[in-house]
Amino acid sequence: PYEARRMKQTGSGVCVLTIDTSSGSVSDAEMAQSTGSPILDNATTSAFKRWRFRPGAFSKVRVPITYTMTGAQF
């Protein structure tokens, strides 16, 4: 997110996705391990809630995420 980028926030965390097995859509996304920034955590869960999986393939998925400033331009 632009605000986090402007504030040079970085961090790593783990997001757990709960998947509706009948449709493959993500029904819930929550941070199992925070990135240390509420802005980054909210952006992470918001983005993962738009993900889709093959129906019946998974019921829960743990996704590690890392935000860095590498390659960022201001």
Side-chain angles (χ1 to χ4, degrees):
Y2 181 75
E3 183 180 0
R5 183 189 235 184
R6 183 176 48 80
M7 295 166 51
K8 298 184 177 162
Q9 294 181 336
T10 60
S12 295
V14 177
C15 190
V16 175
L17 312 180
T18 304
I19 301 154
D20 180 353
T21 54
S22 62
S23 68
S25 61
V26 175
S27 57
D28 187 40
E30 59 184 33
M31 296 302 292
Q33 178 185 343
S34 174
T35 60
S37 164
I39 296 169
L40 296 177
D41 288 348
N42 290 338
T44 301
T45 56
S46 176
F48 285 146
K49 286 180 182 177
R50 294 189 294 259
W51 279 25
R52 299 290 178 263
F53 292 83
R54 187 174 59 247
F58 303 100
S59 60
K60 280 203 184 270
V61 176
R62 292 175 56 88
V63 182
I65 185 96
T66 300
Y67 290 97
T68 65
M69 293 301 293
T70 304
Q73 297 182 9
F74 297 96

